Amino acid sequence: MEFDFSPVITYFPTLLKGVGATLLIGLVVAIMSIIGGQIVAVITLYTRKAVNWPLRFFIWLFMTTPLLLQLYFLYFGMGQWILIPAIVVGVLGLGFHYMAYNADIFIATIKSVSSGQYEASRSLGFGHLATIFYIILPQAFYRALPQLGNNMIIMVKDISVLSAIGIAELVYMSQYAISVTFRPFEFYITIAVIYYLINIGMETGQSWVERRAAIRR
C-alpha cells in the first residue's frame, strides 16, 4: 500500500474553505444555543405551566431524537410545503438541538443558586426580572461553563452531519476532493488531524475562559 498526500496538498485550499464554513457555523450556533438556552431555562422555571410545559416538551423532543432525523425533518419534511435553504436548516437544526441541551444545563445551574440570594436581592429593591438577569443568571452561567464548553466542542464535530443536506463544511469538501482524487485514506486522516487541532484550540480557550471566570468570582 502506497500513501500519497500530494492530492491533499493540492486540495488543501478546498479543505480550508470547509474549515472556515465549519467554524462560522459553529460560532453562530454557539451564540444562538447559549442565549436561547438561557431564555428557555428562565421561561421554563419562572412562568406558569401553560407556558413552560411546551418548552419542556421542546427540550425533551430535541434531546431524545437524533440530530440527523431533526435535520431531515426540517429540510425534506418541511420542504414539502416550504423551501428552506440548506444553510438555514443547518443552523436552525443545530441551534435548536443544542439550545435544548444548554437549556437543561441552565435549568440545573439556576436551581443550584441559593434561594437566599434571590430573597436578599428583592429585599434590596431589585425587581423580579432584575434579580434573575443581574443576580441569578450570571452565577448560573459561571457554574455552567464547563458543561457548556463540552457541549460546544461536541457541536463543532456534529457540524459534519450537515454534509448530509449538502452544506459545504469540512467533511463535505473533503468528500468532493475524494471524488476527484480517489484518495480517501489520505483525506480522512487529514481532516481527522484538522478536527483534533480544532478541539485542542477549543479546549485551550475553554480552560482560559474558566480561569478568567474563577478570578472574577
Side-chain angles (χ1 to χ4, degrees), residues 83-138:
L83 181 62
I84 308 175
I87 186 64
V88 175
V89 170
V91 170
L92 290 179
L94 269 177
F96 287 140
H97 185 82
Y98 279 94
M99 188 187 298
Y101 279 93
N102 290 342
D104 192 54
I105 292 171
F106 282 121
I107 287 172
T109 55
I110 288 172
K111 286 181 177 179
S112 71
V113 177
S114 171
S115 59
Q117 296 194 44
Y118 178 88
E119 295 167 0
S121 175
R122 293 304 303 273
S123 69
L124 291 173
F126 281 83
H128 175 66
L129 289 178
T131 298
I132 292 172
F133 286 101
Y134 292 110
I135 306 298
I136 305 299
L137 267 186

Short mmCIF file of all heavy atoms in Angstrom, two decimals, residues 83-138:
data_model
loop_
_atom_site.label_atom_id
_atom_site.label_comp_id
_atom_site.label_asym_id
_atom_site.label_seq_id
_atom_site.Cartn_x
_atom_site.Cartn_y
_atom_site.Cartn_z
N LEU A 83 -39.83 25.85 1.01
CA LEU A 83 -38.43 25.63 0.64
C LEU A 83 -37.53 26.47 1.54
O LEU A 83 -37.58 27.70 1.51
CB LEU A 83 -38.20 25.99 -0.83
CG LEU A 83 -36.78 25.77 -1.37
CD1 LEU A 83 -36.41 24.29 -1.28
CD2 LEU A 83 -36.66 26.26 -2.80
N ILE A 84 -36.74 25.80 2.35
CA ILE A 84 -35.83 26.48 3.27
C ILE A 84 -34.40 26.19 2.82
O ILE A 84 -34.05 25.04 2.61
CB ILE A 84 -36.02 25.99 4.72
CG1 ILE A 84 -37.48 26.06 5.12
CG2 ILE A 84 -35.15 26.80 5.68
CD1 ILE A 84 -37.76 25.48 6.49
N PRO A 85 -33.56 27.22 2.63
CA PRO A 85 -32.17 26.98 2.23
C PRO A 85 -31.47 26.04 3.19
O PRO A 85 -31.69 26.08 4.41
CB PRO A 85 -31.55 28.38 2.25
CG PRO A 85 -32.71 29.30 2.07
CD PRO A 85 -33.86 28.65 2.76
N ALA A 86 -30.60 25.20 2.66
CA ALA A 86 -29.91 24.19 3.48
C ALA A 86 -29.13 24.82 4.62
O ALA A 86 -29.13 24.30 5.74
CB ALA A 86 -28.97 23.37 2.59
N ILE A 87 -28.46 25.95 4.38
CA ILE A 87 -27.66 26.58 5.42
C ILE A 87 -28.54 27.05 6.57
O ILE A 87 -28.16 26.97 7.75
CB ILE A 87 -26.81 27.75 4.85
CG1 ILE A 87 -25.87 28.30 5.92
CG2 ILE A 87 -27.70 28.83 4.28
CD1 ILE A 87 -24.84 27.31 6.40
N VAL A 88 -29.74 27.53 6.26
CA VAL A 88 -30.69 27.97 7.30
C VAL A 88 -31.15 26.77 8.11
O VAL A 88 -31.21 26.82 9.34
CB VAL A 88 -31.89 28.71 6.67
CG1 VAL A 88 -32.92 29.06 7.74
CG2 VAL A 88 -31.43 29.96 5.94
N VAL A 89 -31.48 25.68 7.41
CA VAL A 89 -31.89 24.45 8.10
C VAL A 89 -30.76 23.96 9.00
O VAL A 89 -30.99 23.56 10.15
CB VAL A 89 -32.27 23.35 7.09
CG1 VAL A 89 -32.45 22.01 7.79
CG2 VAL A 89 -33.55 23.73 6.35
N GLY A 90 -29.53 23.98 8.49
CA GLY A 90 -28.40 23.51 9.27
C GLY A 90 -28.19 24.31 10.55
O GLY A 90 -28.03 23.73 11.63
N VAL A 91 -28.22 25.62 10.43
CA VAL A 91 -28.01 26.49 11.60
C VAL A 91 -29.16 26.34 12.59
O VAL A 91 -28.95 26.20 13.80
CB VAL A 91 -27.84 27.95 11.16
CG1 VAL A 91 -27.87 28.89 12.38
CG2 VAL A 91 -26.53 28.14 10.41
N LEU A 92 -30.40 26.36 12.09
CA LEU A 92 -31.56 26.23 12.97
C LEU A 92 -31.61 24.85 13.62
O LEU A 92 -31.88 24.73 14.82
CB LEU A 92 -32.85 26.50 12.21
CG LEU A 92 -33.11 27.93 11.76
CD1 LEU A 92 -34.42 28.02 10.99
CD2 LEU A 92 -33.13 28.88 12.96
N GLY A 93 -31.35 23.81 12.81
CA GLY A 93 -31.39 22.46 13.35
C GLY A 93 -30.37 22.27 14.46
O GLY A 93 -30.70 21.79 15.56
N LEU A 94 -29.12 22.63 14.19
CA LEU A 94 -28.08 22.52 15.22
C LEU A 94 -28.37 23.45 16.39
O LEU A 94 -28.16 23.10 17.55
CB LEU A 94 -26.72 22.86 14.62
CG LEU A 94 -25.89 21.73 14.03
CD1 LEU A 94 -24.62 22.29 13.42
CD2 LEU A 94 -25.53 20.69 15.09
N GLY A 95 -28.84 24.67 16.07
CA GLY A 95 -29.12 25.65 17.11
C GLY A 95 -30.19 25.16 18.08
O GLY A 95 -30.02 25.23 19.30
N PHE A 96 -31.30 24.66 17.55
CA PHE A 96 -32.37 24.15 18.41
C PHE A 96 -31.93 22.92 19.19
O PHE A 96 -32.28 22.75 20.37
CB PHE A 96 -33.61 23.82 17.57
CG PHE A 96 -34.35 25.03 17.08
CD1 PHE A 96 -34.88 25.06 15.79
CD2 PHE A 96 -34.53 26.14 17.89
CE1 PHE A 96 -35.56 26.17 15.33
CE2 PHE A 96 -35.21 27.26 17.43
CZ PHE A 96 -35.72 27.28 16.15
N HIS A 97 -31.17 22.06 18.52
CA HIS A 97 -30.70 20.83 19.18
C HIS A 97 -29.86 21.16 20.40
O HIS A 97 -30.11 20.64 21.51
CB HIS A 97 -29.88 20.02 18.17
CG HIS A 97 -29.44 18.68 18.67
ND1 HIS A 97 -30.26 17.57 18.65
CD2 HIS A 97 -28.26 18.27 19.22
CE1 HIS A 97 -29.61 16.53 19.15
NE2 HIS A 97 -28.40 16.92 19.51
N TYR A 98 -28.89 22.05 20.23
CA TYR A 98 -28.01 22.38 21.36
C TYR A 98 -28.64 23.40 22.29
O TYR A 98 -28.24 23.51 23.47
CB TYR A 98 -26.64 22.82 20.85
CG TYR A 98 -25.81 21.61 20.51
CD1 TYR A 98 -25.77 21.11 19.22
CD2 TYR A 98 -25.12 20.93 21.50
CE1 TYR A 98 -25.05 19.97 18.91
CE2 TYR A 98 -24.39 19.79 21.21
CZ TYR A 98 -24.37 19.32 19.92
OH TYR A 98 -23.66 18.16 19.64
N MET A 99 -29.62 24.15 21.81
CA MET A 99 -30.37 25.03 22.71
C MET A 99 -31.09 24.20 23.77
O MET A 99 -31.15 24.58 24.95
CB MET A 99 -31.40 25.84 21.92
CG MET A 99 -32.11 26.92 22.73
SD MET A 99 -33.44 27.71 21.78
CE MET A 99 -32.50 28.42 20.41
N ALA A 100 -31.64 23.05 23.35
CA ALA A 100 -32.32 22.18 24.30
C ALA A 100 -31.36 21.65 25.34
O ALA A 100 -31.65 21.66 26.55
CB ALA A 100 -32.99 21.02 23.55
N TYR A 101 -30.18 21.18 24.90
CA TYR A 101 -29.18 20.67 25.85
C TYR A 101 -28.69 21.78 26.78
O TYR A 101 -28.52 21.56 27.99
CB TYR A 101 -28.01 20.06 25.10
CG TYR A 101 -28.26 18.66 24.63
CD1 TYR A 101 -28.75 18.40 23.35
CD2 TYR A 101 -28.03 17.57 25.47
CE1 TYR A 101 -29.00 17.10 22.92
CE2 TYR A 101 -28.27 16.27 25.05
CZ TYR A 101 -28.75 16.05 23.76
OH TYR A 101 -29.00 14.76 23.35
N ASN A 102 -28.45 22.97 26.23
CA ASN A 102 -27.97 24.07 27.07
C ASN A 102 -29.05 24.54 28.03
O ASN A 102 -28.75 24.93 29.17
CB ASN A 102 -27.49 25.22 26.19
CG ASN A 102 -26.22 24.89 25.44
OD1 ASN A 102 -25.50 23.96 25.80
ND2 ASN A 102 -25.91 25.63 24.40
N ALA A 103 -30.30 24.53 27.59
CA ALA A 103 -31.40 24.90 28.49
C ALA A 103 -31.47 23.96 29.67
O ALA A 103 -31.67 24.39 30.82
CB ALA A 103 -32.73 24.88 27.72
N ASP A 104 -31.28 22.68 29.43
CA ASP A 104 -31.29 21.69 30.51
C ASP A 104 -30.15 21.97 31.50
O ASP A 104 -30.33 21.83 32.71
CB ASP A 104 -31.14 20.29 29.91
CG ASP A 104 -31.44 19.19 30.91
OD1 ASP A 104 -32.53 19.21 31.51
OD2 ASP A 104 -30.59 18.30 31.08
N ILE A 105 -29.00 22.38 30.97
CA ILE A 105 -27.87 22.73 31.84
C ILE A 105 -28.20 23.96 32.68
O ILE A 105 -27.96 23.99 33.89
CB ILE A 105 -26.60 22.98 31.01
CG1 ILE A 105 -26.12 21.68 30.37
CG2 ILE A 105 -25.50 23.60 31.86
CD1 ILE A 105 -25.01 21.88 29.35
N PHE A 106 -28.76 24.99 32.04
CA PHE A 106 -29.07 26.23 32.76
C PHE A 106 -30.17 26.02 33.79
O PHE A 106 -30.15 26.66 34.85
CB PHE A 106 -29.48 27.33 31.77
CG PHE A 106 -28.32 27.96 31.06
CD1 PHE A 106 -28.23 27.93 29.68
CD2 PHE A 106 -27.31 28.59 31.77
CE1 PHE A 106 -27.16 28.51 29.01
CE2 PHE A 106 -26.23 29.17 31.11
CZ PHE A 106 -26.15 29.13 29.73
N ILE A 107 -31.12 25.15 33.50
CA ILE A 107 -32.16 24.87 34.49
C ILE A 107 -31.52 24.32 35.76
O ILE A 107 -31.85 24.72 36.88
CB ILE A 107 -33.19 23.87 33.92
CG1 ILE A 107 -34.08 24.57 32.88
CG2 ILE A 107 -34.07 23.28 35.03
CD1 ILE A 107 -34.99 23.63 32.12
N ALA A 108 -30.57 23.40 35.59
CA ALA A 108 -29.90 22.80 36.75
C ALA A 108 -29.05 23.82 37.49
O ALA A 108 -29.07 23.86 38.74
CB ALA A 108 -29.04 21.64 36.29
N THR A 109 -28.30 24.66 36.77
CA THR A 109 -27.41 25.61 37.45
C THR A 109 -28.19 26.76 38.09
O THR A 109 -27.78 27.28 39.13
CB THR A 109 -26.35 26.17 36.49
OG1 THR A 109 -26.99 26.76 35.34
CG2 THR A 109 -25.41 25.07 36.03
N ILE A 110 -29.30 27.16 37.48
CA ILE A 110 -30.15 28.19 38.09
C ILE A 110 -30.72 27.68 39.41
O ILE A 110 -30.74 28.38 40.42
CB ILE A 110 -31.28 28.62 37.13
CG1 ILE A 110 -30.70 29.45 35.97
CG2 ILE A 110 -32.33 29.44 37.88
CD1 ILE A 110 -31.71 29.75 34.88
N LYS A 111 -31.16 26.42 39.41
CA LYS A 111 -31.69 25.82 40.62
C LYS A 111 -30.62 25.71 41.71
O LYS A 111 -30.94 25.71 42.90
CB LYS A 111 -32.27 24.44 40.32
CG LYS A 111 -33.59 24.46 39.58
CD LYS A 111 -34.10 23.03 39.35
CE LYS A 111 -35.45 23.02 38.67
NZ LYS A 111 -35.94 21.63 38.43
N SER A 112 -29.35 25.60 41.28
CA SER A 112 -28.28 25.43 42.26
C SER A 112 -27.91 26.72 42.99
O SER A 112 -27.23 26.70 44.01
CB SER A 112 -27.03 24.87 41.57
OG SER A 112 -26.41 25.85 40.74
N VAL A 113 -28.35 27.87 42.44
CA VAL A 113 -28.08 29.15 43.08
C VAL A 113 -28.99 29.27 44.30
O VAL A 113 -30.20 29.04 44.22
CB VAL A 113 -28.33 30.33 42.12
CG1 VAL A 113 -28.10 31.66 42.83
CG2 VAL A 113 -27.41 30.21 40.91
N SER A 114 -28.43 29.65 45.42
CA SER A 114 -29.18 29.70 46.67
C SER A 114 -30.40 30.62 46.56
O SER A 114 -30.31 31.75 46.06
CB SER A 114 -28.27 30.20 47.79
OG SER A 114 -29.01 30.46 48.96
N SER A 115 -31.52 30.14 47.04
CA SER A 115 -32.74 30.95 47.03
C SER A 115 -32.59 32.17 47.93
O SER A 115 -33.27 33.18 47.75
CB SER A 115 -33.93 30.11 47.49
OG SER A 115 -33.72 29.60 48.80
N GLY A 116 -31.68 32.09 48.90
CA GLY A 116 -31.44 33.23 49.78
C GLY A 116 -30.92 34.43 49.03
O GLY A 116 -31.20 35.58 49.42
N GLN A 117 -30.19 34.21 47.94
CA GLN A 117 -29.69 35.33 47.16
C GLN A 117 -30.83 36.04 46.43
O GLN A 117 -30.81 37.26 46.28
CB GLN A 117 -28.65 34.82 46.15
CG GLN A 117 -27.43 34.24 46.81
CD GLN A 117 -26.30 34.05 45.82
OE1 GLN A 117 -26.01 34.92 45.00
NE2 GLN A 117 -25.64 32.90 45.89
N TYR A 118 -31.82 35.27 46.00
CA TYR A 118 -33.00 35.88 45.37
C TYR A 118 -33.73 36.76 46.39
O TYR A 118 -34.09 37.91 46.10
CB TYR A 118 -33.93 34.79 44.85
CG TYR A 118 -35.20 35.33 44.22
CD1 TYR A 118 -35.25 35.68 42.87
CD2 TYR A 118 -36.35 35.49 44.98
CE1 TYR A 118 -36.41 36.18 42.30
CE2 TYR A 118 -37.52 35.99 44.43
CZ TYR A 118 -37.54 36.33 43.09
OH TYR A 118 -38.70 36.84 42.52
N GLU A 119 -33.92 36.23 47.58
CA GLU A 119 -34.65 36.97 48.62
C GLU A 119 -33.87 38.21 49.05
O GLU A 119 -34.45 39.28 49.27
CB GLU A 119 -34.90 36.06 49.81
CG GLU A 119 -35.83 34.88 49.48
CD GLU A 119 -35.83 33.82 50.56
OE1 GLU A 119 -35.09 34.00 51.56
OE2 GLU A 119 -36.54 32.80 50.40
N ALA A 120 -32.54 38.08 49.17
CA ALA A 120 -31.72 39.22 49.56
C ALA A 120 -31.77 40.32 48.50
O ALA A 120 -31.85 41.51 48.82
CB ALA A 120 -30.28 38.77 49.78
N SER A 121 -31.74 39.90 47.24
CA SER A 121 -31.80 40.87 46.15
C SER A 121 -33.12 41.61 46.16
O SER A 121 -33.16 42.85 45.98
CB SER A 121 -31.59 40.15 44.81
OG SER A 121 -31.75 41.06 43.74
N ARG A 122 -34.22 40.89 46.37
CA ARG A 122 -35.54 41.54 46.39
C ARG A 122 -35.65 42.49 47.58
O ARG A 122 -36.26 43.58 47.46
CB ARG A 122 -36.65 40.49 46.46
CG ARG A 122 -36.79 39.60 45.22
CD ARG A 122 -37.01 40.43 43.94
NE ARG A 122 -38.14 41.28 44.02
CZ ARG A 122 -39.39 40.92 43.71
NH1 ARG A 122 -39.64 39.68 43.30
NH2 ARG A 122 -40.39 41.78 43.81
N SER A 123 -35.04 42.12 48.70
CA SER A 123 -35.10 42.97 49.88
C SER A 123 -34.31 44.26 49.69
O SER A 123 -34.57 45.26 50.36
CB SER A 123 -34.58 42.21 51.10
OG SER A 123 -33.19 41.98 51.00
N LEU A 124 -33.33 44.22 48.74
CA LEU A 124 -32.54 45.42 48.45
C LEU A 124 -33.20 46.31 47.40
O LEU A 124 -32.65 47.35 47.03
CB LEU A 124 -31.15 45.02 47.97
CG LEU A 124 -30.24 44.38 49.03
CD1 LEU A 124 -28.95 43.86 48.40
CD2 LEU A 124 -29.92 45.40 50.13
N GLY A 125 -34.35 45.89 46.93
CA GLY A 125 -35.09 46.74 45.99
C GLY A 125 -35.04 46.31 44.54
O GLY A 125 -35.61 46.96 43.67
N PHE A 126 -34.35 45.21 44.23
CA PHE A 126 -34.32 44.70 42.86
C PHE A 126 -35.67 44.08 42.52
O PHE A 126 -36.28 43.39 43.34
CB PHE A 126 -33.23 43.63 42.70
CG PHE A 126 -31.84 44.18 42.56
CD1 PHE A 126 -31.10 44.52 43.69
CD2 PHE A 126 -31.28 44.36 41.31
CE1 PHE A 126 -29.83 45.04 43.55
CE2 PHE A 126 -29.99 44.86 41.18
CZ PHE A 126 -29.27 45.20 42.30
N GLY A 127 -36.11 44.31 41.30
CA GLY A 127 -37.34 43.68 40.84
C GLY A 127 -37.11 42.22 40.50
O GLY A 127 -35.98 41.72 40.51
N HIS A 128 -38.19 41.53 40.16
CA HIS A 128 -38.12 40.10 39.86
C HIS A 128 -37.20 39.84 38.67
O HIS A 128 -36.27 39.03 38.76
CB HIS A 128 -39.52 39.57 39.57
CG HIS A 128 -39.56 38.14 39.14
ND1 HIS A 128 -39.20 37.10 39.96
CD2 HIS A 128 -39.90 37.57 37.94
CE1 HIS A 128 -39.32 35.95 39.31
NE2 HIS A 128 -39.74 36.20 38.09
N LEU A 129 -37.42 40.54 37.55
CA LEU A 129 -36.60 40.32 36.35
C LEU A 129 -35.16 40.77 36.56
O LEU A 129 -34.23 40.11 36.10
CB LEU A 129 -37.21 41.05 35.15
CG LEU A 129 -38.52 40.47 34.60
CD1 LEU A 129 -39.04 41.32 33.44
CD2 LEU A 129 -38.30 39.03 34.12
N ALA A 130 -34.99 41.90 37.25
CA ALA A 130 -33.63 42.39 37.52
C ALA A 130 -32.86 41.39 38.36
O ALA A 130 -31.66 41.15 38.13
CB ALA A 130 -33.70 43.74 38.22
N THR A 131 -33.52 40.79 39.34
CA THR A 131 -32.87 39.78 40.17
C THR A 131 -32.43 38.58 39.35
O THR A 131 -31.31 38.07 39.50
CB THR A 131 -33.82 39.32 41.29
OG1 THR A 131 -34.14 40.44 42.13
CG2 THR A 131 -33.18 38.23 42.14
N ILE A 132 -33.30 38.14 38.44
CA ILE A 132 -32.98 36.98 37.61
C ILE A 132 -31.79 37.27 36.70
O ILE A 132 -30.85 36.48 36.62
CB ILE A 132 -34.21 36.55 36.78
CG1 ILE A 132 -35.30 36.01 37.69
CG2 ILE A 132 -33.81 35.51 35.72
CD1 ILE A 132 -36.61 35.74 36.98
N PHE A 133 -31.84 38.41 36.01
CA PHE A 133 -30.84 38.69 34.98
C PHE A 133 -29.53 39.26 35.52
O PHE A 133 -28.48 39.10 34.88
CB PHE A 133 -31.42 39.64 33.92
CG PHE A 133 -32.40 38.97 33.01
CD1 PHE A 133 -33.77 39.11 33.19
CD2 PHE A 133 -31.97 38.15 31.97
CE1 PHE A 133 -34.68 38.48 32.36
CE2 PHE A 133 -32.86 37.50 31.13
CZ PHE A 133 -34.22 37.67 31.33
N TYR A 134 -29.57 39.91 36.69
CA TYR A 134 -28.34 40.51 37.21
C TYR A 134 -27.73 39.73 38.38
O TYR A 134 -26.53 39.89 38.67
CB TYR A 134 -28.61 41.95 37.67
CG TYR A 134 -28.91 42.89 36.53
CD1 TYR A 134 -30.19 43.40 36.35
CD2 TYR A 134 -27.93 43.25 35.61
CE1 TYR A 134 -30.48 44.25 35.29
CE2 TYR A 134 -28.21 44.11 34.55
CZ TYR A 134 -29.49 44.60 34.38
OH TYR A 134 -29.78 45.44 33.34
N ILE A 135 -28.52 38.90 39.03
CA ILE A 135 -28.02 38.16 40.19
C ILE A 135 -27.96 36.66 39.93
O ILE A 135 -26.91 36.03 40.10
CB ILE A 135 -28.90 38.43 41.44
CG1 ILE A 135 -29.03 39.93 41.71
CG2 ILE A 135 -28.34 37.68 42.64
CD1 ILE A 135 -27.72 40.63 42.02
N ILE A 136 -29.06 36.09 39.49
CA ILE A 136 -29.15 34.64 39.34
C ILE A 136 -28.43 34.14 38.10
O ILE A 136 -27.58 33.22 38.17
CB ILE A 136 -30.63 34.19 39.31
CG1 ILE A 136 -31.39 34.70 40.54
CG2 ILE A 136 -30.71 32.66 39.20
CD1 ILE A 136 -30.86 34.21 41.84
N LEU A 137 -28.75 34.71 36.93
CA LEU A 137 -28.20 34.20 35.68
C LEU A 137 -26.67 34.27 35.59
O LEU A 137 -26.05 33.31 35.11
CB LEU A 137 -28.82 34.93 34.49
CG LEU A 137 -30.05 34.28 33.86
CD1 LEU A 137 -30.47 35.04 32.60
CD2 LEU A 137 -29.78 32.82 33.50
N PRO A 138 -26.03 35.37 36.01
CA PRO A 138 -24.56 35.38 35.93
C PRO A 138 -23.91 34.25 36.72
O PRO A 138 -22.96 33.62 36.25
CB PRO A 138 -24.20 36.76 36.51
CG PRO A 138 -25.39 37.61 36.24
CD PRO A 138 -26.56 36.69 36.42
#
